[in-house]
Amino acid sequence: MTTPPIRRRTRARELALQFLYAFELRGEDAMSELESFVDHHTKTGNMTQGNAAPGNRLEVANYAKDICLGVHDHLVDINNWIEHIARNWRLERMAYIDRNILRIAMYELLFQAEVPFKVVINEAIDMAKRYSTAQSGSFVNGILDRARVLIQEARDQGTISIPTAPEKS
């Protein structure tokens, strides 16, 4: 029995998770290697004009880079959202994989309006189940479902498409 091919955005999220994990361990220096990391894993690096990568590889590479750069650029806001919702869980106490899955999903929920909430949450839950602990799927689901509600309420109340993190209580 053959396994179905992995979807492009799923693959991009997985690459982003790997890179963000490395970023968290190595710090800001890792950002200089984003391009080469993604190019290596998607086989899009060193492509000449006549030898262009297939469109699906470029889509994976571009979306993975977009996620990584987006999480990096909005890290403070994303972390504030996560800490507000996970009241009894400081980021430092969360598993590296779990918090980076949450960061990817929060970035998409907040800044990628074209991706449906349901898709973002389901993908995050699947990654948590696949790459983290048995309880991680439920943990990620609880935080992201609450984020979904708060983000939708903020969008429904105002003209701001990207709501700021709620105040910590």
Side-chain angles (χ1 to χ4, degrees):
M1 184 170 129
T2 61
T3 58
I6 193 164
R7 295 187 317 238
R8 289 182 289 259
R9 290 213 168 166
T10 300
R11 179 69 182 133
R13 289 178 184 100
E14 289 174 346
L15 284 176
L17 177 61
Q18 291 173 6
F19 183 80
L20 291 171
Y21 181 85
F23 169 73
E24 190 156 12
L25 293 177
R26 292 188 50 224
E28 198 64 37
D29 292 341
M31 288 308 292
S32 65
E33 298 175 14
L34 174 61
E35 192 83 24
S36 61
F37 174 86
V38 173
D39 289 348
H40 172 76
H41 288 284
T42 58
K43 299 184 182 1
T44 56
N46 298 328
M47 293 299 205
T48 62
Q49 194 72 8
N51 188 19
N56 59 348
R57 286 189 197 167
L58 284 176
E59 185 180 336
V60 169
N62 291 337
Y63 199 65
K65 290 175 195 175
D66 183 50
I67 291 170
C68 292
L69 291 171
V71 168
H72 177 264
D73 292 347
H74 301 284
L75 190 60
V76 171
D77 291 332
I78 291 168
N79 286 347
N80 286 340
W81 270 95
I82 295 168
E83 285 183 333
H84 170 75
I85 294 166
R87 289 192 177 122
N88 297 325
W89 282 88
R90 290 185 331 274
L91 278 173
E92 301 82 41
R93 288 185 56 216
M94 293 179 194
Y96 283 96
I97 297 292
D98 293 352
R99 73 175 160 238
N100 282 299
I101 289 170
L102 288 169
R103 286 171 176 157
I104 290 167
M106 286 302 303
Y107 169 73
E108 287 187 295
L109 290 173
L110 290 165
F111 300 98
Q112 299 291 331
E114 77 278 358
V115 183
F117 287 155
K118 184 176 180 178
V119 170
V120 172
I121 294 170
N122 286 340
E123 289 273 323
I125 293 167
D126 288 346
M127 280 199 307
K129 288 178 182 177
R130 190 175 314 122
Y131 298 114
S132 197
T133 67
Q135 299 80 21
S136 292
S138 297
F139 177 70
V140 166
N141 183 37
I143 291 174
L144 294 179
D145 189 55
R146 181 67 182 137
R148 175 194 59 80
V149 169
L150 293 172
I151 292 167
Q152 190 60 57
E153 285 175 358
R155 287 182 180 160
D156 289 347
Q157 291 176 2
T159 58
I160 302 171
S161 62
I162 302 169
T164 57
E167 294 296 319
K168 292 182 183 179
S169 43

